[in-house]
Amino acid sequence: QVQLVESGGGLVQVGDSLRLSCVASGRSFNKSAMGWVRQAEGKGREFVAANNWSGSAFYYGDSVLGRFTISRDNAKNTLYLQMNSLKPEDTAVYYCVALQLPYYDPKAHWDYWGQGTQVTVSS
């Protein structure tokens, strides 16, 4: 059974930092593009970040560019999202996602989803 399990969410203040982690199990994601998608209450899903299977190429949503950094450790089957300079509008449930494809394609639908972790930024 494929599982993506996120951790690291929580309640923080404006300007604080958080690092989310996503541990994959059930299959190796070493050859899969992975990323993060978020959904704020009452809003649609928003692309946050993604990287290719090797972690050598990065893609970011406009609203997080320059503040968030995606990375991965394939030896640990783990994906990370470092979030700096957090704003109230970053408040959302953050989902770890993965493709069966090795390269990120913005037109592709994510094949695997984690259960999500809540990030709340208080002003």
Side-chain angles (χ1 to χ4, degrees):
Q1 182 181 358
V2 174
Q3 276 194 313
L4 299 175
V5 180
E6 304 96 333
S7 62
L11 173 64
V12 296
Q13 301 293 316
V14 169
D16 283 352
S17 297
L18 270 180
R19 188 175 82 154
L20 305 183
S21 299
C22 170
V23 178
S25 62
R27 71 181 285 271
S28 173
F29 286 90
N30 292 351
K31 298 300 182 184
S32 295
M34 297 186 72
W36 296 91
V37 171
R38 68 185 183 186
Q39 186 167 21
E41 188 173 354
K43 297 187 177 180
R45 293 171 177 169
E46 179 187 9
F47 170 75
V48 176
N51 61 15
N52 291 339
W53 69 275
S54 64
S56 61
F58 313 95
Y59 309 86
Y60 294 98
D62 290 341
S63 61
V64 306
L65 186 63
R67 299 187 298 122
F68 290 11
T69 302
I70 188 171
S71 62
R72 64 195 293 166
D73 184 339
N74 283 341
K76 297 181 179 180
N77 242 11
T78 302
L79 181 74
Y80 303 100
L81 184 67
Q82 177 66 43
M83 306 186 294
N84 298 330
S85 303
L86 283 162
K87 305 175 181 180
E89 50 264 43
D90 294 318
T91 295
V93 176
Y94 284 72
Y95 296 94
C96 176
V97 291
L99 291 176
Q100 293 183 348
L101 300 172
Y103 298 100
Y104 172 63
D105 179 357
K107 297 181 181 178
H109 296 286
W110 296 101
D111 296 302
Y112 304 100
W113 291 73
Q115 84 288 347
T117 185
Q118 177 71 47
V119 172
T120 303
V121 184
S122 173
S123 56

